[in-house]
Each structure stands twice: as structure tokens, then as C-alpha cells.
Amino acid sequence: MSETTTSYHTVRLLKNHVYPTYQLFAVMGERKTSPQAGLRLGALTVMRWLRDRLGPAAPAELEQAPDPADYLDTDDSCLCSLHMNEGFVIDLVSAPEQGMWSLQITEPDLGSDPGNEGQARPAVPGRVLETNVAFRITSEGLECGFQTRISDPDGSQEKAEVYRLAFIRPLLRDPAFGLRQIAPLREQVERIGTVEQLKAVARLWRDKRGQLPLVLFTQLCPEKAPLKVDQRIKSFLPQSTFVPFDKEHPLMVPQQNGAPVDPPYDMDGLARSAAAFCRCYLVEEGLRKKLAELTGAEIGAGDIVRLEPMCFGGACRVDRYRPSAVRQNERMAELKEWCLTYPREKAVTFGSIKFLSDARESLLSRTAEAEAAAQQIEAQWREKLEQMEAAHKAELAQLAGERQALLDKLDRQKQFQLRLEREKEELRAESEREKAKLCQELEEEREENAYLKRRMDRPALHGEIAAWVERHFRDRLYLHPKAVALLADRSAQGVDAALICDALDFLATDYWDRRYAKISEAEMLTRCSEKYGRPFEIKPTGTATVEFTPAQYKIKYFPGHTGVPVESPLDYHLGVGNAPENLLRIYFLHDDRNKLIVVGSLPRHLKAVSIK
């Protein structure tokens, strides 16, 4: 029999490139809606979108949330906080009493249509998407922040698409909400027909608070607006204009009136699809020269002007008009792509908004600053008290007649000092509680990250499970050579490798902590449910079964009196399922001296003996 060897190597860690795609900072535009009511309306709108995304997996808090249209008939108690970790991570923090509401979704890239093999864009391996939404009440009103961040492995060829979050359009259209960034955001092309309107657009362009680009279409002069003439109207034209009719080369004649006309672009379609990406305007012909004067660019009839925000350089670009329908379509496609990708990797500012990831860093920073401030205050008061005490002693030495009054004053100072010490102790205790809370959160995050890393490293083949166990659970779980051989057996292929890895992960973490770290059974079951979405049952094997079938239920492990390993019973087993397609059994023993779970047989069910 030929013996095969497995080559092992260290898996290299790859750096990730994190960048934003869709970004928008705005303020609720409807001034008749109070900021607190607007916060409730905006949060309910996003919660409905989140419920639709989760589908049947939506928790009860989202299922029972009121409809956004009923935002005035409910109070802020409908705004829940929740945390979900189901392969994606959702953190929703509601603090309406503080004027804040925030959502963060972290998920792997599953492609444009998850589950569909024919999806237009397949998933990018290693790509992680982070969606951030936040509302905050400030003196300016209700500030709204929306951002999608992408984490790509270094070397990824294509940047992620820029998708506008689906709930932004309902917020934009809602008459009780609306969105404003200096001026209201619209889904229509705004016609500029007066000098004052044009100056307002120029002021909007120059305002450094603006972060959206402006697209300005200009009208065509009569000579730049040819008409296609079909066979039905040829008879109305002078005889000299007749040419043979050809569908591919239709007859083109100039307009006879002198009125400017709108350019032959789908301007309304661009304004709708690029809403909350850019602003669209149509400048009438009589204002074209004034527009050229305000922008400092040479602008012809029918040209398209792109104005980038001043905060991003304020560049002005003019796209020249081309009479060819093919060139016009190419121009509009390129313009639309430019608008829809403009916010990608831009340094957009979000006012007073802080997304959850930024808030965590800010909390750690504030805690450190609070500790430093407490120490500084303590030192200042200590110095001040020492100075006061020295002054009292000097005064007592000089004024013997006022000794009693000074003693009374000193007693009052001591009481004051005691009060300060109590306050200092309270501050120190509060700081310690906050520190312990942060440490617990960090520890939970570390445990979660470790589980995710193990899950990402999980092998697909049964023969690689032993190496995976060795990498991650060397000090907790030991696969006996007999168990390793059973995994490599062809009969083991019928049991799902992912189910085997989940069960071994459970034994090495939650069950190990229950036996040796003494966590409660309730905590063990809670961890099991959150991580694996199913229970694992641990039972004794039974003395009769072990004694009647020792070849199956014993392994050579514990040393005998001569120091040589002797047959040791596999007196416990983990069981999953009863049907053949989902049946799993793992038989093991406890090495309490070394705090090891020793697995001797898996994954098939061994013969059992029952005595009646």
C-alpha cells in the first residue's frame, strides 16, 4: 500500500484596502417636521428596509415595528436596539432621548444576486461590505449620514460598484422628511430661466459645504437642432430637399423657427437615476454667456457643464455637443457612470454624525481622557489642600488669639477634603466599571473574531480536519490516531465536513469552558445557539456498551502502571441527529490532568448495547 504524505505550509495574511463607495451627508429638508419626529420617521424607514432584507430571519423587534407612515401615532419606544451575528453582523443602537440613532451592517460579498448561479456579478473573494446609517439631532436640525465602506484584499482588480441605499429615495420623496444639502435634493431637472436662479446655482457650487457635483445642460440654437424627416412629411418640404428615403440615413433638415430648444438628452432619466448623487439643471439659451462668465469656461450651445464641489477641487469640465445620436448616447452613458461613481473614495464630511465604528474609537479615547483628567484634578486638589494646610499652620503660629476659629475652619476644610475624596473614589469606581465593561466588550470581540477566523479556515475535505484541529485547539482537543484514521475512511465522506467542524469547535470551546473554566450550562447553550444555530447533545456512553464492545469504545491513551498506554474507555459521546443523512457521533474521554478532550472515534454511530 502506498503511503501519501500531506504538505503543510503557513497561510499568508493579506492586507485589506478599505474605501468608501456611496456617501451622502444631508439634513432633513422638511422644516415643519420636528427633529425628534423626523428621527423617528427616518429610523422606522430604515428599519422597514432592514426587515425586508432579513426576510423570514427578521427578529420580532423589527417585525413589530410600526409602519413609517404611523410615525406621529407612536412614541420613541418603538425604536429598538439589537445585535445579530448570523454570518453577517448587525448592530442597531437607538438613543432617541439623546437625539441619536445608528445602524451598522457588516456582511461578506455574495454577488449581485446571492443564490443565483447566473448572477450578473459574482462575489469577490475576501470582500467585506459595511453599511453605516446614522441620524443625529443638532442645532442645524436632523443630520443624516449614509455611507457604504468596502474592504478588499490588496491586489483586487476592480473597485466595488457604488449603490445608493434603497431607503434614501423614500426619504427623499417623503413630504414629511425630504433631504437638503444647503438646498433641497430633487429627482427632477431644474430649469434655470433667470439671472438670480443662475447666481443661486453658482453660490451653491462655490459653497464649501456642498459635496454633490452639478450637471448643467444648455439649450440648442436652431442651427444645432436638426430634425429627422420621415416619409410621411416629405411632401410638405420644397422639392429641392428631396432625397431617396433610407431608414439608416434619414433626411435631416434645419428648423425654420429661431426659438432655442432643449437638447435631445434623457435629462429627466439622469436626474431620477442620479438623485442624491448629483444635481441636474437646464440653463436656457439666454443665460449661456452668463454661465460662461460665472464659471470662466467657454460654453457652446448644447454643451454639458460638470461642476465639481469646491471641497473636492471645484473643477469645471465642458462636454461639447455632438449632433450624432450615437455620440449623444455614448456621452450620456459616460456622464451617468461619472455621476454614480463620484462619491467613491471621496473624503466626505458628516458634520456631527459619528458612525458606530468611529464611535467605538471615540469612546476609548474619551475614557482615556477622563482617566487623565481625573488624575490631573486629583493632583491639583492635593496641591491646593497642601497649600491651604500650610497657610493655616502659619496663621495659627502668628495668631494665637484666633486659634479656635482657625481650628473650626480647618475642620471645615477637612470635611471638604473628605467629600472630595468620596467624589474622587466615586469617579475612580465609575472609571473602573467603564474600563471593565470595555474590557469585556473587547474580549467578546476577540472571541468572535477568533471564531470567524476558525470558520474561514475551516477545511472542505475530511482529510484536512485533523490539521485544522491541531492549528486551532492544540491545548484543548486531541484527535487520537484512531479518530484521524476514521476521518480518512471513505465511510466518513457521507457526513458533512462543516457539521463535523462545528461539533469539534463546540467541544474545544464551549464544552471545554463548561468543564474546565466552569461557565454555566446556560451560557454554554447560549454560545452554542448563537455560533452554530443548533444544539449539541453530550451523553455518557454507558458502562455496559463499553464492556461488551471494547474494540470500538476503547483506545490506548492513559499510561498503565508500567508507563505504557493502556485501553481507556470512551465514556462520553456527542450526538447529532438520528436520520442517516445528518447522523453524527463523536466518542471521547476527559484527560482532566492535562485539561484535554480526547476524541477516539467519529463520525459514525458505533454499536450500542442495552441490558433489559
Side-chain angles (χ1 to χ4, degrees), residues 18 31 80 168 184 223-224 289 296 414 419 508 518 534 540:
V18 180
R31 300 183 188 276
C80 63
I168 290 180
E223 65 273 16
K224 285 195 175 181
K289 291 184 179 179
K414 288 181 179 179
R419 190 184 72 187
K518 305 303 181 184
R534 67 181 303 150

Side-chain angles (χ1 to χ4, degrees), residues 16 88 132 232 286 340 355 385 388 392 450 509 528 587 591:
N16 273 29
F88 53 82
N132 288 290
R232 293 170 295 174
L340 297 185
F355 297 123
L385 288 172
M388 293 173 67
H392 293 328
T509 56
C528 179
Y587 299 84
D591 183 354

Side-chain angles (χ1 to χ4, degrees), residues 297 304-308 314-319 331 334-335 338:
I304 303 173
V305 182
R306 310 184 196 186
L307 299 177
E308 296 196 42
C316 173
R317 170 180 167 183
V318 179
D319 299 323
R331 173 67 66 202
E334 186 274 331
L335 179 60
W338 180 80

Side-chain angles (χ1 to χ4, degrees), residues 287-353:
L287 297 172
R288 179 163 55 85
K289 291 184 179 179
K290 186 65 176 178
L291 174 61
E293 177 187 329
L294 291 173
T295 59
E298 181 181 344
I299 302 172
D303 291 349
I304 303 173
V305 182
R306 310 184 196 186
L307 299 177
E308 296 196 42
M310 285 296 172
C311 64
F312 299 136
C316 173
R317 170 180 167 183
V318 179
D319 299 323
R320 301 302 177 192
Y321 174 76
R322 295 291 182 269
S324 166
V326 174
R327 293 298 177 88
Q328 291 170 6
N329 291 336
E330 290 175 352
R331 173 67 66 202
M332 286 301 288
E334 186 274 331
L335 179 60
K336 181 178 179 181
E337 177 69 13
W338 180 80
C339 293
L340 297 185
T341 58
Y342 189 81
R344 184 165 58 199
E345 298 191 271
K346 293 291 190 299
V348 172
T349 57
F350 289 90
S352 300
I353 292 288

Side-chain angles (χ1 to χ4, degrees), residues 539-592:
K539 289 183 177 180
T541 302
T543 305
T545 297
V546 174
E547 294 301 326
F548 276 88
T549 55
Q552 295 185 23
Y553 286 93
K554 288 186 178 183
I555 59 172
K556 290 187 178 182
Y557 180 75
F558 291 110
H561 65 279
T562 62
V564 178
V566 298
E567 296 289 340
S568 305
L570 300 172
D571 46 9
Y572 281 83
H573 71 274
L574 177 148
V576 176
N578 293 308
E581 62 271 11
N582 63 355
L583 181 66
L584 170 65
R585 294 293 187 271
I586 298 179
Y587 299 84
F588 61 93
L589 57 82
H590 301 102
D591 183 354
D592 292 333

